Amino acid sequence: MATPYAGERTEDGTTGTMRFATVLAVVALAGLAAGCVPSRDKIELPESVPVDRALSADIRYVFFHPGKAGMVPDGTAAIAAAVVEDARLRAKGTTPRLVVTGHADAGGDPAAAQRLSLRRARLVAARLKAAGIAPDRITVAGAGAADPLLPAPAGQAEPANDRVEIGFESSAVSRLDATPRRPI
């Protein structure tokens, strides 16, 4: 049976909107049941962030263990939030591209940081694909250590820089006309 459009009735009397809401509720409950509620206890993040680099509400942040491609436990919740946001945007009639950008701390070799950031971005993209987002709507990039969220003294790790950012790019905005959206 084909998936009904918003408001269209199915054989069992439900509407496409009702099914969409049910799927969103199930995804949210599954995340809670899996213990994916964000907690500051699992990763040490600073109490304050410089005003020009505060976390943006438009970007989902998936944090990683320093120097590794393994996500901290809260990462699954950020990915689930991105999937829910994607579904919300599509329900409004837009089909955004997801821009998945990996980052690494500047603690070592720049080439290694670039490889690690790209590996992290690919891991998150794979999770997004597994959650049902079409691969052709995901753009993957690795920024290496070039764009730290927080500055750190040379040789000192800053966990907030070991991250992947999931952003949404509207298809209505041309890539050539778009200015980079930086957190405020």
Side-chain angles (χ1 to χ4, degrees):
M1 177 171 81
T3 304
Y5 292 102
E8 186 177 301
R9 294 246 174 229
T10 62
E11 292 173 5
D12 64 357
T14 61
T15 65
T17 305
M18 291 170 62
R19 285 192 180 204
F20 177 74
T22 303
V23 168
L24 287 179
V26 168
V27 167
L29 290 174
L32 289 173
C36 297
V37 179
S39 166
R40 288 185 56 90
D41 298 338
K42 296 182 180 150
I43 185 169
E44 286 296 319
L45 294 177
E47 293 299 323
S48 64
V49 176
V51 174
D52 64 334
R53 292 303 306 219
L55 298 178
S56 171
D58 297 335
I59 297 174
R60 304 296 178 265
Y61 295 89
V62 181
F63 292 98
F64 284 76
H65 296 288
K68 299 191 184 327
M71 286 187 290
V72 298
D74 295 345
T76 304
I79 293 169
V83 170
V84 169
E85 178 67 10
D86 177 68
R88 186 186 69 76
L89 291 171
R90 285 187 297 123
K92 290 173 94 177
T94 62
T95 307
R97 289 193 59 76
L98 282 79
V99 181
V100 180
T101 308
H103 298 270
D105 198 32
D109 176 35
Q114 177 63 34
R115 287 189 304 273
L116 178 60
S117 69
L118 190 55
R119 192 167 22 155
R120 289 172 172 172
R122 286 179 177 150
L123 172 80
V124 170
R127 298 275 178 104
L128 291 168
K129 290 173 191 172
I133 296 180
D136 62 337
R137 292 185 40 234
I138 301 172
T139 300
V140 177
D147 189 20
L149 187 62
L150 292 175
Q156 183 177 343
E158 175 50 66
N161 294 333
D162 290 307
R163 72 195 188 283
V164 167
E165 296 178 356
I166 306 170
F168 294 88
E169 182 180 88
S170 172
S171 58
V173 176
S174 166
R175 286 180 174 236
L176 297 175
D177 296 335
T179 55
R181 296 174 82 191
R182 295 305 320 153
I184 56 169

